[in-house]
Amino acid sequence: VQLVESGGGLAQTGDSLRLSCAALTRAFSTYNMGWFRQAPGKERELAASIAWRSGLTYYADSVKGRFTISRDNAKNTVYLQMNRLKPEDTAVYYCAAGSIDMLSGFDSWGQGTQVTVSS
């Protein structure tokens, strides 16, 4: 699955950004989708994910209550709405798709989009 992210950029503490990820596949609705992020010097972590069948969502504790993941199957797109941004949200954000479950097995990745939050 080819994934193309957009929407990253510069923000200040407290700002909002929305990331988008377009999937170039007709089977988008059958994929679990996730947003991962990797900060400099840190491991990549799963920030949020959404299951294809149930629409169930998962959020890392660090983003819970501030980020919202959603999907529009008609547009083959998954979104990450990021509110009340903090400097520690600075990272490269990657969109991912998988077929196993919503926490693992992601095997298709986007190119990444940089999000930088200044204090």
Side-chain angles (χ1 to χ4, degrees):
V1 179
Q2 186 174 353
L3 303 171
V4 181
E5 300 112 332
S6 60
L10 300 175
Q12 294 186 329
T13 298
D15 283 353
S16 297
L17 285 175
R18 189 176 79 157
L19 305 182
S20 299
C21 172
L24 305 183
T25 174
R26 293 183 177 182
F28 173 77
S29 63
T30 66
Y31 284 94
N32 301 309
M33 300 298 298
W35 284 99
F36 287 75
R37 66 184 186 178
Q38 187 166 22
K42 295 188 177 181
E43 292 187 355
R44 188 176 298 187
E45 65 168 351
L46 177 62
S49 63
I50 184 165
W52 74 271
R53 184 189 294 272
S54 64
L56 189 66
T57 56
Y58 161 84
Y59 296 98
D61 287 343
S62 56
V63 307
K64 199 172 294 183
R66 299 187 299 120
F67 290 10
T68 301
I69 187 170
S70 61
R71 64 191 300 160
D72 186 336
N73 289 338
K75 295 182 178 180
N76 286 4
T77 300
V78 62
Y79 304 97
L80 186 67
Q81 178 68 42
M82 305 184 295
N83 297 330
R84 303 198 308 276
L85 283 164
K86 304 175 180 180
E88 49 264 46
D89 294 320
T90 295
V92 178
Y93 284 71
Y94 298 90
C95 175
S99 302
I100 298 178
D101 62 57
M102 62 187 295
L103 298 179
S104 64
F106 292 96
D107 52 12
S108 296
W109 299 84
Q111 80 284 359
T113 185
Q114 177 71 47
V115 172
T116 303
V117 184
S118 62
S119 57

